[in-house]
């Protein structure tokens, strides 16, 4: 059974930091490019970051570049997102997702596996 389980979300003040984790199981994690996607209240899914299967890239949306860092540990089947200098506009549900492929895809409809999401709230 494929599972992606996010953790680490919560309430953080503006300017603060959080580290999200995504534990993968039920598939060959090291074969997949991994993604972080978020959905703010009342908005659609927004791609924010990607890392290739062998730690290449990484790739970031302009909205998070310079503040967020994606990483992965293939020995632990775990994906991370280090988020710094958080802003109220970062408030969203954060999802990890997986896609087998050879390049980055920013359209969330192309991802094969999804987690259930973790809430990040940055009050204004």
């Amino acid at each position: 059974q494929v599972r992606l389980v996010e953790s680490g979300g919560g309430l953080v003040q503006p300017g603060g930091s959080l580290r999200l984790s995504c534990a993968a199981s039920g598939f060959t994690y090291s074969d997949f490019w991994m993604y972080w996607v978020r959905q703010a209240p009342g908005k659609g899914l927004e791609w924010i970051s990607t890392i290739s299967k062998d730690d290449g890239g990484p790739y970031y949306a302009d909205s998070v570049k310079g503040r967020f860092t994606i990483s992965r540990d293939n020995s632990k089947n775990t994906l991370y997102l280090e988020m710094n200098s958080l802003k109220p506009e970062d408030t969203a549900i954060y999802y990890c997702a997986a896609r087998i492929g050879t390049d980055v895809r920013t359209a969330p409809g192309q991802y094969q596996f999804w987690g259930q999401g973790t809430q990040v709230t940055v009050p204004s």
Side-chain angles (χ1 to χ4, degrees):
Q1 180 185 3
V2 171
R3 294 191 73 196
L4 291 172
V5 181
E6 301 94 337
S7 61
L11 175 68
V12 60
Q13 294 301 310
S17 299
L18 279 176
R19 188 192 197 204
L20 305 184
S21 299
C22 171
S25 61
F27 64 102
T28 306
Y29 175 75
S30 58
D31 284 347
F32 282 72
W33 290 50
M34 297 300 297
Y35 294 75
W36 286 102
V37 178
R38 68 185 180 186
Q39 187 167 27
K43 297 188 177 180
L45 293 168
E46 177 192 11
W47 168 80
I48 57 172
S49 188
T50 302
I51 190 166
S52 75
K53 62 179 183 178
D54 53 2
D55 230 357
Y59 308 87
Y60 298 98
D62 288 343
S63 58
V64 305
K65 196 175 296 181
R67 300 188 298 121
F68 291 11
T69 302
I70 190 172
S71 62
R72 65 188 295 164
D73 186 337
N74 285 352
S75 69
K76 296 181 180 179
N77 286 2
T78 303
L79 177 73
Y80 303 99
L81 186 68
E82 186 76 35
M83 305 187 296
N84 298 313
S85 302
L86 283 161
K87 306 174 182 180
E89 51 263 44
D90 295 317
T91 294
I93 299 173
Y94 284 71
Y95 300 91
C96 66
R99 179 182 180 275
I100 199 159
T102 58
D103 59 353
V104 60
R105 300 291 176 92
T106 60
Q110 301 183 68
Y111 308 153
Q112 279 95 16
F113 306 136
W114 288 81
Q116 84 291 344
T118 186
Q119 176 71 47
V120 172
T121 301
V122 187
S124 54

